[in-house]
């Protein structure tokens, strides 16, 4: 780029910055509320301000950025292309501002630290609680919250700054190029049946798997896609799903009721399978595992407490992996 062209670009950026000095967090908040509700009227009602004031804030924001941000479509308001870009930026600004004020309150109250974790269902339900409790015992001033989300929303929450980091599966349809991704461990899935079930014996071959009634996750969930893909790789192209649930607990209840058998995450299995009325079924021709990742923004700067918590999570999953190698579930199952 030539020196004169560079100076012209710098001048334009300087002028844009001068215009943007008229921006306020209040204007951005009003704009975001209009964008979320697709209505000036509803935004005014929720913000408890007059409708003309909302319109004036929108016009002022458009003048500041030099672009039309909203357009009327029927009775609703929709964002223009520029509006969508500003909405993404404004949402992050408001979120970061809120975090800053919370941090200032914490500092004034003695330095309480906050960490928000996005977790996929199995990690957030079965794995993280014990780790968070252990962390709390050693650092009670560190306030940690865990949001259990779909893998897509978990990575989205980390990308947009809503959560500090995530412990999650990875949705292949989500762009994760701006994330650092560390494999924590591979969560095994085991075929489980009711303890007195006549549907299957202690070992299930391919022929049986092709006809067994299965209790599965719903279509669209990554766990279901994994099960279907694993069956396809051994030549079984149709999953005989007779019932579907989005959480391991109802899946286990349906299996115990002998509705069908099912592949279940290891961490969701009860410690005493016999007492719960369940048993393992060996599947020598098929093996399932789900990779679980630690994900965080590549530009993130973490506090010492957050770094210690992440190390605690890494260590906990490393112990899980080591224990699984030394004492696999099959070795202790009733069918062994």
């Amino acid at each position: 780029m030539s020196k004169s062209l560079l100076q012209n670009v710098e001048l334009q950026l300087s002028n844009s910055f001068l215009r943007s000095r008229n921006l306020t967090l209040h204007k951005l908040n009003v704009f975001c509320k209009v964008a979320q509700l697709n209505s000036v009227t509803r935004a005014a009602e929720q913000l408890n301000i007059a409708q003309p004031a909302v319109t004036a804030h929108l016009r002022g924001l458009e003048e500041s950025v030099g672009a039309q941000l909203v357009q009327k479509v029927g009775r609703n308001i929709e964002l223009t292309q520029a509006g969508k870009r500003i909405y993404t930026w404004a949402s992050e600004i408001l979120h970061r501002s809120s975090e800053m004020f919370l941090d200032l309150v914490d500092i004034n109250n003695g330095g309480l630290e906050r960490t928000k974790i996005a977790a996929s269902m199995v990690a957030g339900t079965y794995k993280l609680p014990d780790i968070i409790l252990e962390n709390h015992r050693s650092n009670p001033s560190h306030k940690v919250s865990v949001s259990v989300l779909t893998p897509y929303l978990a990575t989205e929450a980390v990308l947009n700054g809503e959560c500090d980091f995530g412990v999650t599966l990875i949705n292949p349809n989500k762009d994760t190029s701006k994330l650092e991704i560390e494999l924590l461990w591979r969560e095994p899935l085991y075929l489980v049946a009711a303890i007195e079930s006549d549907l299957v014996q202690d070992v299930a071959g391919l022929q049986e798997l092709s006809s067994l009634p299965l209790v599965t996750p719903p279509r669209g969930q990554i766990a279901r896609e994994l099960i279907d893909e694993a069956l396809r790789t051994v030549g079984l192209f149709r999953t005989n799903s007779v019932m579907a649930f989005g959480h391991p607990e109802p899946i286990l209840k349906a299996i115990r009721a002998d509705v069908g058998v099912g592949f279940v995450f290891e961490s969701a299995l009860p410690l005493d399978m016999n007492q719960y009325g369940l048993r393992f079924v060996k599947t020598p021709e098929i093996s399932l595992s789900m990779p679980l990742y630690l994900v965080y923004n590549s530009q993130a700067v973490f506090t010492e407490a957050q770094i210690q918590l992440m190390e605690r999570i890494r260590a906990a999953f490393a112990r899980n992996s080591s224990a699984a190698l030394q004492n696999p579930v099959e070795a202790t199952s009733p069918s062994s």
Side-chain angles (χ1 to χ4, degrees), residues 298-319:
S298 57
Q299 304 300 317
V301 178
F302 296 109
T303 66
E304 184 62 31
Q306 290 172 336
I307 292 172
Q308 291 176 2
L309 176 56
M310 293 170 75
E311 286 300 323
R312 193 181 297 275
I313 290 171
R314 292 185 182 102
F317 280 103
R319 289 194 298 270

Side-chain angles (χ1 to χ4, degrees), residues 18 57 237 310:
L18 289 174
H57 282 310
F237 295 95
M310 293 170 75

Side-chain angles (χ1 to χ4, degrees), residues 26 29-55 57-58 75-76:
H26 181 59
N29 185 50
V30 170
F31 167 69
C32 285
K33 189 61 67 176
V34 171
Q36 292 161 4
L37 299 174
N38 295 322
S39 169
V40 170
T41 302
R42 290 194 292 271
E45 290 173 353
Q46 283 208 10
L47 294 168
N48 199 27
I49 59 178
Q51 183 174 328
V54 173
T55 302
H57 282 310
L58 285 176
R75 295 183 177 181
N76 293 325

Side-chain angles (χ1 to χ4, degrees), residues 183-200:
L183 177 64
L184 289 172
W185 87 311
R186 294 185 179 275
E187 171 89 13
L189 290 91
Y190 298 99
L191 189 62
V192 176
I195 196 166
E196 301 292 342
S197 178
D198 293 326
L199 294 173
V200 65

Side-chain angles (χ1 to χ4, degrees), residues 32 95 166 201 231 244:
C32 285
H95 175 74
Q201 299 301 311
L231 293 174

Side-chain angles (χ1 to χ4, degrees), residues 197-274:
S197 178
D198 293 326
L199 294 173
V200 65
Q201 299 301 311
D202 292 338
V203 180
L206 291 183
Q207 186 173 355
E208 285 181 282
L209 285 173
S210 65
S211 58
L212 276 175
L214 295 177
V215 183
T216 67
R219 289 191 182 277
Q221 284 197 1
I222 292 181
R224 173 65 179 274
E225 293 176 6
L226 174 76
I227 293 168
D228 289 350
E229 179 60 29
L231 293 174
R232 282 195 293 269
T233 60
V234 293
L236 305 179
F237 295 95
R238 183 177 178 275
T239 303
N240 184 21
S241 177
V242 295
M243 195 172 290
F245 294 100
H247 194 279
E249 293 304 319
I251 289 177
L252 286 170
K253 287 183 179 180
I255 294 172
R256 187 171 60 174
D258 208 20
V259 172
V261 301
F263 289 97
V264 183
F265 287 103
E266 179 186 79
S267 56
L269 294 172
L271 293 176
D272 191 330
M273 293 281 285
N274 284 327

Side-chain angles (χ1 to χ4, degrees), residues 29 33 59 67 77 88-89 100 108 115 119 121 124 131 156 158 164 183 190 192 205 222 224 239 262 271 281 289 291:
N29 185 50
K33 189 61 67 176
R59 297 293 170 259
I77 294 293
T88 301
W89 170 78
M100 179 189 68
N108 291 334
T115 297
M121 180 179 55
I131 301 173
E156 179 69 19
V158 176
D164 298 291
L183 177 64
Y190 298 99
V192 176
I222 292 181
R224 173 65 179 274
T239 303
L271 293 176
V281 178
S289 66

